[in-house]
Amino acid sequence: MHASPDPSLMDSVAAEPAKSSSLPEYVYARLREDIFEMRLLPGDQVTETEVAAYFKVSRTPVREALQRLQSDGLMQGYVRGGWEVVTMDFKRFADLYELRQLIEVHAVRRLCAGHVDGKRAIDMAQIEALKADWCVPVEQRLTDGRAAAALDEAFHQTLVRATGNQEMASAFDRLTDRIRIVRRLDFVYGDCVGSTYEEHAAILAQIDARAGDEAVRLITEHIDGSHAEVNQITLHRLHSARASAATERLPYVTVRVMRSF
C-alpha cells in the first residue's frame, strides 16, 4: 500500500483543478499546470482579458493568479495587463539544486546522529513510514510518472521535516515548489522511476544503520544525478515543445515569441 502524499503536493499532478470557491487559486493552478506541462512556453505572452475570457471569470482573480505566478518566478508582468512566461533560467535552477543539497545533506546527518537537539527531537517514525512507499517489491511500485513525482517530493520533504526544524522544513517546501517545473520532467519524460525506488531504499537503509557518511554520499549522488538528468531532459523537452507549438497553441496565448530558453 502506498501512503498518500501531502495534499499540498498533489497540485502538481492534478490534470484538471476543480473550480472551487477560490477563483484565483483555480486560475493559478490551471496556468501553472500549463507551464509545467509546457503548453505555455518561455516567451509566450497572454493578457488578463483573454485569460479571463478563456476561464470564464473576471479579470480580478486572473490578475491575482498571475501575480502569484510572478512571485513564483514563472511569469513577468508588463503594462496594460500583459504578461509573459519567463525564460528558463538554468543558473537559477542550479542555485536552487545547490541549496537543496545543502539542506538535505544536513538533514540526513542529523537523522543519522539520532539525538535530541535542544527542543527538537528527531522523528524516526516519519522515516520508518517512508518504507511503506519505497521499500516495496517491483510489482508494487508506481508506474505513473506524475504520481511518482509527487511521492518523490514527499520523500525528500519528509527527510527534512523529520529533523524537527520547522523553519528549515518550510524553506525546503518553498524550494521544492520552485524546482518542480523541471524536476517532474525526469519522472514524466525520463526513465528514473525504478532507480528512484532503489536509491531511496538505500538511503533509508543507511539512515537506519546510523551510517552518516554513507547516507550523505548516497543523498549527494542522488541529487547530483537528478539535476544532471533534469538539465538534459529539460532542453530536449523544450525544443520538442517549441516544435509542436508551431502548429498548436492555447486559445488564450496572444503571441508566441521564439526566444532562447
Side-chain angles (χ1 to χ4, degrees):
M1 294 289 293
H2 290 282
S4 299
D6 187 320
S8 66
L9 303 177
M10 296 308 294
D11 286 347
S12 64
V13 299
E16 187 74 13
K19 200 168 188 177
S20 65
S21 58
S22 175
L23 291 178
E25 179 66 30
Y26 167 75
V27 176
Y28 169 79
R30 290 288 303 273
L31 291 174
R32 190 173 72 160
E33 187 68 12
D34 283 341
I35 294 172
F36 283 0
E37 288 296 324
M38 295 188 179
R39 294 186 289 263
L40 274 175
L41 294 172
D44 284 356
Q45 297 175 1
V46 303
T47 67
E48 293 172 8
T49 300
E50 293 194 5
V51 173
Y54 179 75
F55 290 115
K56 297 181 174 59
V57 298
S58 70
R59 287 181 59 183
T60 299
V62 169
R63 186 178 304 114
E64 291 180 25
L66 289 166
Q67 288 171 344
R68 185 174 169 188
L69 288 167
Q70 181 169 252
S71 297
D72 292 345
L74 298 175
M75 299 288 292
Q76 181 176 354
Y78 293 103
V79 296
R80 301 185 185 91
W83 296 79
E84 180 177 301
V85 182
V86 301
T87 57
M88 192 68 74
D89 187 348
F90 286 95
K91 169 63 167 59
R92 175 172 174 265
F93 287 123
D95 290 347
L96 290 170
Y97 264 85
E98 183 178 5
L99 178 58
R100 174 193 171 188
Q101 187 171 112
L102 287 171
I103 292 174
E104 290 201 58
V105 164
H106 175 73
V108 165
R109 285 197 185 280
R110 290 206 66 236
L111 293 172
C112 288
H115 58 74
V116 176
D117 179 13
K119 295 182 179 179
R120 294 198 307 267
I122 301 300
D123 186 356
M124 292 305 294
Q126 292 191 52
I127 303 303
E128 188 67 24
L130 289 174
K131 295 178 184 178
D133 291 322
W134 298 102
C135 303
V136 296
V138 173
E139 61 271 15
Q140 292 182 21
R141 294 176 178 177
L142 293 175
T143 56
D144 178 79
R146 288 171 177 81
L151 199 67
D152 173 69
E153 286 189 6
F155 172 85
H156 291 279
Q157 288 172 298
T158 299
L159 291 183
V160 177
R161 193 174 298 115
T163 67
N165 187 325
Q166 295 305 314
E167 290 299 324
M168 187 168 68
S170 295
F172 190 75
D173 288 346
R174 292 191 295 272
L175 184 156
T176 297
D177 191 64
R178 281 162 173 73
I179 64 175
R180 183 176 296 133
I181 188 172
V182 293
R183 183 176 174 183
R184 70 185 292 188
L185 292 175
D186 200 12
F187 288 89
V188 178
Y189 300 104
D191 186 26
C192 75
V193 175
S195 60
T196 297
Y197 271 92
E198 293 164 5
E199 291 168 15
H200 283 188
I203 291 165
L204 291 173
Q206 296 307 314
I207 292 174
D208 260 357
R210 299 291 194 269
D213 289 344
E214 183 63 11
V216 165
R217 183 186 70 80
L218 290 176
I219 195 71
T220 300
E221 291 180 355
H222 179 65
I223 296 170
D224 284 344
S226 172
H227 186 203
E229 190 67 19
V230 157
N231 280 342
Q232 182 177 356
I233 291 174
T234 300
L235 284 171
H236 173 75
R237 179 60 182 162
L238 279 169
H239 285 292
S240 298
R242 179 64 78 198
S244 66
T247 56
E248 300 175 5
R249 60 185 293 166
L250 289 167
Y252 60 82
V253 176
T254 58
V255 180
R256 285 196 182 276
V257 182
M258 302 300 287
R259 294 188 178 178
S260 62
F261 301 125

